[in-house]
Each structure stands twice: as C-alpha cells, then as structure tokens.
C-alpha cells in the first residue's frame, strides 16, 4: 500500500522543496545501499546536472553524505538530528515512554509505540526484550501498516472503504495481501478490541496491538512482540491483560500533556 499527497490547503507546491524532500526520502529508504548520481537522477526524473547540484548543496549542510570517491551518496547525520528532535518535542511520546517501561518489566517482552503515517507505521519508541534482542533498532523505521500488529490496530479504527484495492505487499507467507482478507481481520480486531499479528510481519514473531484512543481516529498504538516459541496460551492471556491495563493508563494520562502544542 502507498499513499501520496499534494500541498496542504490547495497551496501551490514549491518544486525545488518537493524535489529536495523526495531525494532525502529516496536515500533514507535505501538504508545501507548507497546510490550513484545517475540512479538518483533517473529515479526522480531530473537532469543529472541538477541532481549533482542538489546533492552538493545537501552534502555541505549535512543532510547527505558521500564516500571518499564522491560517487556514492547516502542519508546524512542531520536527518538523525532532526528525527531525534521530533521524538523529543512530541508530548505524547514523552507521556507514553514510562508505560512502555512498565509493560516491558511486567511481561519481559518487546514493547513498541508506533504512529500511522499514510499506510505505513513509523516506530517512535521501543523497549527490547532481554530474551530476544534485535541487532537493529526499529525506532525511526517504517513497516507497511497491513503487515503488523501496530498498523492493523490503527487501520481497524478506520472504515474499510478507506483501504486501497490491493494487492498488498507480502512480508511473510502469512501477510494479508488482499482487501477482503484484511477487512475480515479488521472485523475480528474490532470485536476483541486489539489486533493480533501471527507471523505476518516477521516470521517467528507474534504481535498484539492496541490503538491509543486519545484522538479519533487513533494515530498511535502500542504493541507487544513475542517469539512463537515462548507464546503459551497463559502467556498470551497475560500479555493481553497487561497491555489493556497499560493502554487505559496511557489514555488517562494524556491530558497531563495539556498546554503543549496539539501537533497534526
């Protein structure tokens, strides 16, 4: 699933600004795969000379980095600094963090906070399990919303009519890839009050997602991820009970952030 949008409020888009943002998004999406000048020019559909000038401007300001030969390009350190500022300035992230610690200590599993961004979920905070440590943190990364507990919990808060037709990207053999299958799953989510991701996003991992309804429709959710090998019926029941309690505490605590800017 993918979503694109134009300028807000009908204001004419500034092409140079849009091109800069598109370039940074392309570089960020490539992760550890640096790009060559011609690749970027082709992907964004701009002349090679214009792309070179834009890259050099962004390199001088720290938004793009290059290798010692000057032929490979990747995202720069200022992207990290800006992303960290986003997390530090968000009042809801600050309120939720202590409750992620509480859930992690109670369950001994990995706990996430995510936010819906189009048809993706961006990870805003994570508390890793001491039993199952990822080599790469998910904070700042994105996952298709239809393929994980966080995203499904949030998409289920919205009308099924808003779903794209599909087919959707399959991350594992268990991922829902068609609209009808996903809509049927959403009906079950609405009935039980939380989502379950049984190896749909990551093979060997089950997730339980809980939308945070301090705004309607919810944009944020929390989840608990656990390896299949450790998931007994008793442990699943405890995960659901603890996460429901944590969600209730978070939703009751959000007014404590009152007086802060209500970001959209």
């Amino acid at each position: 699933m993918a979503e694109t949008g134009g300028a807000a409020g009908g204001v004419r888009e500034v092409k140079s600004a849009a091109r800069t943002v598109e370039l940074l998004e392309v570089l960020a999406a490539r992760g550890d795969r640096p790009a060559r000048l011609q690749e970027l020019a082709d992907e964004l559909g701009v002349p090679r000379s214009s792309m070179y000038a834009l890259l050099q401007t962004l390199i001088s300001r720290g938004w793009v980095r290059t290798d010692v030969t000057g032929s490979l390009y990747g995202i720069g350190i200022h992207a990290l600094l800006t992303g960290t500022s986003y997390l530090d300035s968000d009042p809801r992230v600050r309120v939720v963090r202590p409750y992620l610690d509480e859930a992690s200590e109670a369950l001994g599993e990995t706990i996430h906070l995510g936010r819906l961004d189009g048809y993706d979920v961006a990870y805003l905070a994570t508390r890793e399990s001491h039993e199952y440590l990822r080599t790469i943190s998910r904070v700042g990364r994105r996952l298709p919303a239809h393929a994980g507990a966080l995203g499904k919990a949030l998409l289920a808060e919205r009308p099924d009519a808003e779903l794209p037709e599909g087919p959707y990207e399959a991350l594992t053999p268990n991922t829902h890839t068609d609209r009808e299958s996903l809509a049927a799953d959403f009906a079950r989510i609405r009935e039980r009050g939380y989502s379950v991701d049984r190896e749909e996003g990551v093979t060997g991992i089950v997730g339980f997602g809980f939308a945070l309804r301090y705004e309607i429709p919810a944009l944020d959710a929390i989840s608990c991820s656990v390896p299949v090998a450790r998931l007994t019926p008793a442990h699943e029941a405890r995960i659901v009970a603890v996460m429901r309690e944590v969600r209730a505490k978070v939703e009751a605590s959000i007014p404590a952030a009152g007086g802060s800017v209500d970001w959209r």
Side-chain angles (χ1 to χ4, degrees), residues 78-93:
H78 276 214
L80 170 63
L81 300 177
T82 300
T84 301
S85 175
Y86 175 88
L87 295 176
D88 291 343
S89 67
D90 191 288
R92 290 169 182 172
V93 174

Side-chain angles (χ1 to χ4, degrees), residues 75-215:
I75 198 73
I77 194 170
H78 276 214
L80 170 63
L81 300 177
T82 300
T84 301
S85 175
Y86 175 88
L87 295 176
D88 291 343
S89 67
D90 191 288
R92 290 169 182 172
V93 174
R94 288 200 301 272
V95 170
V96 175
R97 278 173 174 157
Y99 296 104
L100 301 183
D101 295 332
E102 179 180 326
S104 178
E105 291 171 7
L107 296 170
E109 304 295 354
T110 298
I111 311 297
H112 299 293
L113 167 66
R115 179 165 294 166
L116 195 64
D117 179 23
Y119 290 110
D120 291 333
V121 164
Y123 285 78
L124 303 183
T126 291
R127 300 294 181 266
E128 296 284 1
S129 166
H130 295 301
E131 302 293 331
Y132 174 73
L133 292 174
R134 290 185 178 86
T135 57
I136 300 176
S137 172
R138 276 199 172 178
V139 174
R141 298 178 183 274
R142 293 155 62 98
L143 185 73
H146 69 280
L150 287 169
K152 291 201 301 175
L154 291 167
L155 291 179
E157 297 285 302
R158 291 155 172 77
D160 292 345
E162 294 183 7
L163 286 173
E165 288 300 323
Y168 311 146
E169 179 185 4
L171 300 189
T172 77
N174 296 323
T175 307
H176 292 282
T177 57
D178 64 85
R179 200 169 187 264
E180 292 71 23
S181 172
L182 195 58
D185 193 19
F186 287 170
R188 295 188 289 270
I189 292 169
R190 292 169 187 137
E191 182 177 355
R192 75 167 80 93
Y194 62 91
S195 68
V196 182
D197 153 25
R198 298 196 185 274
E199 301 185 79
E200 296 163 37
V202 179
T203 300
I205 300 295
V206 177
F208 302 87
F210 298 76
L212 299 175
R213 300 181 179 121
Y214 40 66
E215 55 193 337

Side-chain angles (χ1 to χ4, degrees), residues 15-106:
K15 289 185 178 181
S16 59
R19 182 176 294 174
T20 300
V21 172
E22 289 168 1
L23 171 59
L24 293 172
E25 289 178 342
V26 166
L27 291 173
R30 293 180 66 92
D32 62 354
R33 297 179 296 110
R36 295 186 179 277
L37 173 60
Q38 193 61 55
E39 290 180 286
L40 296 171
D42 291 344
E43 185 159 353
L44 273 66
V46 301
R48 181 185 172 97
S49 58
S50 298
M51 178 56 64
Y52 180 77
L54 178 55
L55 285 167
Q56 295 308 307
T57 299
L58 293 173
I59 288 170
S60 70
R61 294 178 178 268
W63 285 91
V64 171
R65 59 180 171 174
T66 188
D67 70 331
V68 294
T69 70
S71 61
L72 295 174
Y73 302 93
I75 198 73
I77 194 170
H78 276 214
L80 170 63
L81 300 177
T82 300
T84 301
S85 175
Y86 175 88
L87 295 176
D88 291 343
S89 67
D90 191 288
R92 290 169 182 172
V93 174
R94 288 200 301 272
V95 170
V96 175
R97 278 173 174 157
Y99 296 104
L100 301 183
D101 295 332
E102 179 180 326
S104 178
E105 291 171 7

